[in-house]
């Protein structure tokens, strides 16, 4: 049985979630090349970007480390362009419940490299979900 490209990408996202149970993102364009990418946190806490090739596969097949120390966050969400600046962003919750915004620079990196405190007590939620689209803004949703 052959899988469609969309089904294969969905399986890769699920597989990455088992490799990096703390986070495997919804697929959005993180690198700014117009193609869908996937972010994951590896066992060492590195944030790794897998660049999509736009036709259901990968540019290189190898992940690129775009950050470290991400194992400090039990919840990470990629809500696409949360700040409405045309670039993908990340939201991350620390164990104490503080919610931080990390602004993307539109090229696979960071606008500032520093998280901005955007909320508290987010540790009351089991999961944080966001509607992610390639260019549209998304607002975080939660489930208890």
């Amino acid at each position: 049985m052959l899988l469609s490209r969309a089904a294969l990408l969905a399986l890769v996202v699920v597989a990455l979630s088992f490799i990096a149970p703390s986070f495997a993102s919804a697929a959005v364009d993180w690198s700014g090349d117009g193609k869908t990418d996937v972010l994951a946190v590896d066992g060492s806490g590195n944030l790794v970007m897998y660049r999509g090739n736009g036709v259901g596969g990968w540019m290189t097949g190898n992940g690129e480390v775009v950050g470290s120390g991400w194992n400090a966050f039990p919840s990470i969400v990629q809500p696409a362009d949360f700040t409405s600046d045309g670039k993908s962003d990340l939201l991350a919750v620390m164990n104490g419940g503080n919610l931080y915004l990390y602004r993307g620079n539109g090229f696979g990196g960071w606008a500032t490299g520093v998280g901005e405190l955007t909320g508290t007590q987010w540790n009351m939620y089991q999961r944080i979900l966001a509607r992610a689209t390639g260019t549209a803004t998304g607002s975080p949703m939660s489930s208890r």
Side-chain angles (χ1 to χ4, degrees):
M1 176 176 134
L2 294 175
L3 296 175
S4 70
R5 292 171 203 255
L8 181 59
L9 180 59
L11 286 174
V12 169
V13 171
V14 169
L16 287 172
S17 70
F18 287 108
I19 295 168
S22 63
F23 173 63
S25 80
V28 300
D29 180 20
W30 180 253
S31 63
D33 63 1
K35 299 175 178 96
T36 304
D37 306 309
V38 173
L39 296 177
V41 177
D42 69 16
S44 299
N46 294 316
L47 184 64
V48 182
M49 174 177 59
Y50 293 87
R51 292 179 187 258
N53 65 8
V55 292
W58 309 108
M59 292 296 286
T60 66
N62 298 317
E64 302 170 38
V65 175
V66 295
S68 61
W70 287 86
N71 51 348
F73 300 101
S75 297
I76 303 172
V77 176
Q78 186 175 10
D81 183 13
F82 188 71
T83 58
S84 299
D85 64 357
K87 300 167 183 116
S88 293
D89 306 304
L90 291 181
L91 293 171
V93 179
M94 293 200 81
N95 284 323
N98 288 343
L99 177 68
Y100 291 91
L101 166 67
Y102 289 85
R103 295 173 186 263
N105 67 4
F107 301 103
W110 310 104
T112 65
V114 177
E116 302 169 37
L117 182 64
T118 59
T120 60
Q121 300 180 351
W122 280 78
N123 54 343
M124 74 174 86
Y125 301 108
Q126 291 179 343
R127 289 181 179 81
I128 300 171
L129 311 171
R131 180 180 57 119
T133 61
T135 58
T137 60
S139 57
M141 302 173 289
S142 62
S143 67
R144 288 189 189 209

